Structures are given as C-alpha cells and as structure tokens.
Amino acid sequence: MPITKDDILKIASLARLELSAGELEKIHKDLVQIISYIEQIQKVNTDGIMPSSQFIKAENVFREDIVKPSLPREKALSNAPDTDGEYFKVPKVL
Amino acid sequence: MADSLTISGYEAVIGLEVHAQLSTESKIFCGCRVEFGAPPNSLTCPVCLGLPGALPALNKKTVEYALRMILAIDGTVRLRSVFARKNYFYPDLPKGYQISQFDLPIGEGGEIAIPIPGEKRKKVIRLRRIHLEEDAGKSLHPESGEKFTRVDFNRCGVPLIEIVTEPDICSPQEAYAYLIKLKQILQFLGICTADMEKGHLRCDANISIRPIGLSKMGAKTEIKNLNSFKAVEKALAFEIEHQVQVLQSGGIIKQCTMLWDDKHQVAEPMRSKEESHDYRYFPEPDLVNLVVTEEWLNQVKATLPELPEIRAARFVRQYNIPEYDANVLTESRELADYYEKVMQNFGDGKAASNWIMTQLLKVINEEKAELENYHISPVMIAELLNFVQSGKISGKIAKDVFEEMVATSKTAGEIISSRGLTQISDDSLIREVIAKVLAENENNLKKYLSGKKQIFGHFVGQIMKETGGKANPGLVNKILQEKLDELAR
C-alpha cells in the first residue's frame, strides 16, 4: 500500500516537524520510491534465516558497574537555551 | 468497596506494570553515579544528556539483576534479547527516545503467589514480561504564575526493570498484596532497595470491569502516577466504583489514561493530546544484541540470594521456631538478617524471635526507625538475651534494661553493672530474705499452715519486693516451698 500524504503529516507531527506544501510534495515523492524499493527487498526468500536487526557480528558489549566522573554542572548546562544555573529551563509543560 | 462490587454484579480485571529501580552504582548506559537527592544536574554526561555522537554501553550488572528477578519468579530468560527505541517528545527525555525493550524482552512468563487473607491457599498472579530500560529525568512543574518547567537529568539513564502482570488481579486488596510481595522479592534478591519515598518503585495500573461470570473483558482505563502502594489500592477502588457507576447508568467506558491525584484522592483523565501515544518502536542501532549464555545463567542461578519462603523454611529447621515466627522474621530482608546476626551470638531461637517480634519491633515501629543501622545492634540484643538465659537477670528486669538501651544506646552489661541489677541466685541470701518475710508475716504464716495455700503467692510478692525484683523467681519458689513444708511438719 503506497504511503499517503496524511501518513507523512502524521509522522511529521509525531517528530515535531513542520512541513511546507512544497516539502510535503517532495518528501512524499521520495518516500513512495524508497518504500517501493523496500518492497522489492521483501520479495527475497528468507526461509531459514534468523531475523536480525544488526549486520555486525558483535554481541554483548558491556561495561562494568563502575562510576565515572560526571560533567561539571556548568558544562552540562552550557548548551542549554535557558537555565537558572541549576536546572534546564523549558517552556511550561503542565 | 469490594462488597459493593459483589452486590452490583461486576468483577474487576486488573493488570499492573511496576518499574523497579535497580540498585547499581552507575547508570545503565553510562558511568554516571546513581544517587537520590544529589544536586540537580550534577550526575550527567554526554550519554545520558543525549548529546550528539555519544554512544550507550550496557552496564553488565543490570543484566545480572534482571536475570535474578526472572529466575526468582520462575520466568523464561530470552537468551537473545534486543533493545529498542521508544520515541516520544517530553522535556525530561533529552534523546527524544527512551532505550527500552519491546518485542524481544529479556524475560517472559513467571508468577508470583500472593496470600489470600484468612486462607492457607495462595493466589497465583501470572507475569507477562520483565524488561530492562532506562529512566527519564525529572520535571519540576512551575509554581503558579511561572512560565517555566525545570528539568533535572540526574535520574536520566538510571536502570529500571519493568515487571508486567497478566490481568489476574481482581481487587484493590489483591493489587496491594501483590505489590508487598513484589517488594519483598526485590529486596531479598538485593536488586532494588524498594524505597517508595525515593521513587524506587512506581506503578501503572490497567483496569476494567465486567459482569461476573463473563470472560470477555471490558474497555480498560490506565491509571498512572501511583507512587505508593496505598495510592494504588485507593486509585483502583476509586476507578472500579467510577466504572460501575458509568455502566449502571447505561454509559460506556471509554479507553483512556488517567492520572491519580493523591492529594485530592481522585483520578482525572489526561488530556487526549498527552495520551496520543504512537511510540514507533524500532531496534536500537547503538546497542548490540544481548546474549545470555547457559554458563552465565547457571552462574546467576548458583549465586541467587535466598528467597523469603525458602529462608523462612530454613529458619524453622535451623532455629527451631514456629512457622508463624519465621514468616514474620522474613517479611523484610533487614529483619531476617538482623535475626540471623542475633543468632550468631545466642543459642535459643524462640527466645530471640519472641524478643525481636515483641520488644524490638515495637520500638522500631514507635520510633519509625530503620532496622538497618539501628543503634541497638544484633550483638547487643544477643548479649541481653544471654544475660536472661544464664539467669543473671530475670525476663522482667531485661525489659527495663532494654528500655534503657533504647534510650541511651548503652549495652546491657553496662546497664546491669551500673544499676546493680544482677539477679540474686545466691541460696543463702534468698533464705535470709525468706526468713525475714515469714517472721514479719506471722498471721499469714499461721493461715497458710492451717490450709490457706493461696497465701504462697503473697509471700513470693513480699520476697521480690524485699529484693527489688532481683531474686531469681525459680529459686525463691523452690526454697520457699521447702521452708513452708518444713514448718508444716
């Protein structure tokens, strides 16, 4: 089933993206093509192949439960648009 | 409220999702310390702040802790599990997604048995899944008039396991019993300190009602923001009542998410904008698959801490105490540990369990104190009990001594010697006092000898009074009887 403009608008709103009419047109065209390409891949016979979400062989990359120094607060806050010196400040949520 | 349900002909169907904070030193995907109450935003790094280019690395201990829980509740460990991104926007989630597990969680199935009041039989609550995930930060919502929400990311990335039940719970009381049991298991496993006030356990509840006997489920509502076991119980009772009223007045239950307001004791529906969840889960590309080998699993199994029931059964065998005592003593891990530490220095299991259950727990409850690190150590209790057992002080005096221990933190030995409380077990001394008391009570003695045997107790009372309660009661009885028998001849 081809992707619709409504689908794109819904995804855009979930991702908090605002699309102009022109952008919507272009993205729709691109996505229809990308998805039809994926549909071709889906025709490949995958009998006997374990589903995987990864293409690298590595597994179980762990770190031990050891505390490392955190960032000094000034540094942690330094990229924030707004702070009060202790907290990140964002527009009122509730 | 459960009664009104039966009358109205409906039964509740409840499922609980509990988030338990794992008691590791560091966060799940970075080395920041896990600490409650640290200065805001002092425990963050590029990983938990979601800065571009930062990559998560899984804390091995969180996996071990999750495995302990799955084994403890007889669940199935998925030998290859996958982390997933749960996408949503909220200011306390800096990456724009939470790393969680979705279709391939580390644990599935299992069960927890809860007691049914007044019955010996237990009810089994089946579990659906257990998965690992990270916590979000903490939003401090504005006081009235302010235009800002403040965000603290210290909690962001703190390890959690989410434990989800099947809808097997039928009443608020059962939900409460389940949570108590769950907390007990988590504590005994040493994987979560389960301190509610620090938010170590948080609960969401799904609830629907249906006419009794019907197997089809009604539409459910979800209640969030349940931060105490009592809140869960109250919120469920509130929502059951609400749903019954809606159905009885011919309405229909609309599926929705509610927030529990503990202050006003009501559940309010969240605005639809907040609940329009479409998380678009997909496998987390920054983390490789989590593979649990048989060897690893066996290692966790071999070192699994003793669970409450097993420990209680051992207490019965090892310390020769009744099942009731063993159950009380294994209600919390701290209490069980405390008892065992007392028993390392004392020989009479029942005497120790009596003392702990009556005297010690009474004081702990009155003072609302924590047993762990309480100023009266198990060694101090053992010393006191040994004084009683050896006959140095009577049980009655021991209570006074204990009271002073509570007030002053002094040891029993110090108190006994400074107050001269040692019990009199010296025959000759007791004989002297008996002679004196009998001499002073000539009339009573005559009455006794003429057959009024009940005066015996009066003599004992006088003797104890004369010795300030310190005479060994057993010896007093024995010697007094001998003396009176002698006079009667």
Side-chain angles (χ1 to χ4, degrees), chain B residues 214-359:
Chain B
L214 228 67
S215 60
K216 192 175 171 289
M217 289 210 236
K220 65 176 184 184
T221 54
E222 182 180 8
I223 314 177
K224 287 180 173 289
N225 201 28
L226 301 169
N227 294 329
S228 75
F229 293 176
K230 279 287 162 205
V232 174
E233 200 179 2
K234 283 181 190 157
L236 286 172
F238 175 90
E239 182 57 16
I240 292 169
E241 192 100 322
H242 169 242
Q243 292 192 7
V244 168
Q245 276 172 14
V246 170
L247 289 186
Q248 280 183 335
S249 60
I252 46 164
I253 308 292
K254 228 181 81 195
Q255 183 163 343
C256 69
T257 305
M258 328 257 286
L259 267 189
W260 176 246
D261 178 348
D262 205 41
K263 198 167 148 200
H264 301 101
Q265 304 275 304
V266 288
E268 302 269 14
M270 285 171 85
R271 279 172 295 170
S272 60
K273 200 177 144 199
E274 285 164 354
E275 58 163 305
S276 66
H277 289 320
D278 185 347
Y279 293 126
R280 294 150 293 139
Y281 283 96
F282 63 86
E284 166 58 86
D286 289 344
L287 288 167
V288 295
N289 289 348
L290 170 55
V291 174
V292 179
T293 59
E294 288 291 333
E295 189 194 350
W296 189 8
L297 199 56
N298 287 335
Q299 199 184 321
V300 176
K301 232 178 246 176
T303 54
L304 199 66
E306 215 175 11
L307 286 164
E309 284 81 12
I310 296 166
R311 201 160 176 188
R314 177 168 64 78
F315 278 13
V316 171
R317 286 195 314 273
Q318 188 175 342
Y319 303 119
N320 201 18
I321 55 173
E323 208 181 306
Y324 173 82
D325 294 36
N327 287 337
V328 172
L329 293 171
T330 52
E331 263 168 24
S332 76
R333 186 173 176 173
E334 289 77 49
L335 183 57
D337 287 348
Y338 194 99
Y339 176 70
E340 292 218 87
K341 281 184 195 145
V342 172
M343 289 308 295
Q344 280 168 13
N345 297 290
F346 181 62
D348 182 345
K350 180 63 184 154
S353 76
N354 281 349
W355 195 274
I356 287 172
M357 292 191 308
T358 54
Q359 308 300 323

Side-chain angles (χ1 to χ4, degrees), chain B residues 10-66:
Chain B
Y10 291 96
E11 66 181 354
V13 181
I14 299 164
L16 295 179
E17 293 171 13
V18 173
H19 292 91
Q21 181 181 321
L22 299 175
S23 50
T24 53
E25 296 290 318
S26 65
K27 293 185 180 180
I28 184 168
F29 298 123
C30 64
C32 290
R33 181 185 299 283
V34 173
E35 186 188 331
F36 180 82
N41 294 304
S42 62
L43 302 173
T44 68
C45 73
V47 174
C48 55
L49 286 174
L51 300 187
L55 287 173
L58 180 58
N59 181 341
K60 193 174 181 188
K61 191 148 234 170
T62 64
V63 181
E64 281 170 15
Y65 283 5

Side-chain angles (χ1 to χ4, degrees), chain B residues 115-279:
Chain B
I116 306 173
E119 286 186 44
K120 199 134 180 105
R121 163 180 84 88
K122 290 188 169 178
K123 172 167 177 174
V124 168
I125 308 296
R126 292 169 302 150
L127 299 184
R128 181 174 292 170
R129 60 185 275 150
I130 291 177
H131 72 244
L132 276 163
E133 64 182 27
E134 59 177 341
D135 207 344
K138 204 173 162 186
S139 301
L140 277 90
H141 295 293
E143 309 279 315
S144 54
E146 275 188 319
K147 290 197 177 67
F148 292 97
T149 291
R150 291 173 168 75
V151 189
D152 174 7
F153 288 120
N154 284 350
R155 203 179 65 189
C156 201
V158 164
L160 306 175
I161 47 172
E162 180 171 328
I163 304 148
V164 183
T165 72
E166 294 290 347
D168 286 353
I169 298 167
C170 297
S171 69
Q173 294 76 17
E174 278 184 18
Y176 187 78
Y178 166 79
L179 291 168
I180 295 283
K181 191 72 213 172
L182 181 66
K183 176 180 172 183
Q184 190 194 29
I185 294 170
L186 290 165
Q187 285 181 330
F188 271 74
L189 291 174
I191 63 175
C192 172
T193 43
D195 188 337
M196 300 297 291
E197 282 174 14
K198 293 181 182 166
H200 291 171
L201 283 182
R202 299 194 297 274
C203 182
D204 298 339
N206 287 298
I207 172 160
S208 65
I209 60 169
R210 63 185 174 199
I212 289 173
L214 228 67
S215 60
K216 192 175 171 289
M217 289 210 236
K220 65 176 184 184
T221 54
E222 182 180 8
I223 314 177
K224 287 180 173 289
N225 201 28
L226 301 169
N227 294 329
S228 75
F229 293 176
K230 279 287 162 205
V232 174
E233 200 179 2
K234 283 181 190 157
L236 286 172
F238 175 90
E239 182 57 16
I240 292 169
E241 192 100 322
H242 169 242
Q243 292 192 7
V244 168
Q245 276 172 14
V246 170
L247 289 186
Q248 280 183 335
S249 60
I252 46 164
I253 308 292
K254 228 181 81 195
Q255 183 163 343
C256 69
T257 305
M258 328 257 286
L259 267 189
W260 176 246
D261 178 348
D262 205 41
K263 198 167 148 200
H264 301 101
Q265 304 275 304
V266 288
E268 302 269 14
M270 285 171 85
R271 279 172 295 170
S272 60
K273 200 177 144 199
E274 285 164 354
E275 58 163 305
S276 66
H277 289 320
D278 185 347
Y279 293 126

Side-chain angles (χ1 to χ4, degrees), chain A residues 54 60 63 65 68 71 73, chain B residues 26 31 40-41 44 58 287 291:
Chain A
Q54 267 158 353
N60 285 3
R63 42 172 285 274
D65 183 25
K68 288 199 177 148
L71 287 176
R73 181 158 62 200
Chain B
S26 65
N41 294 304
T44 68
L58 180 58
L287 288 167
V291 174

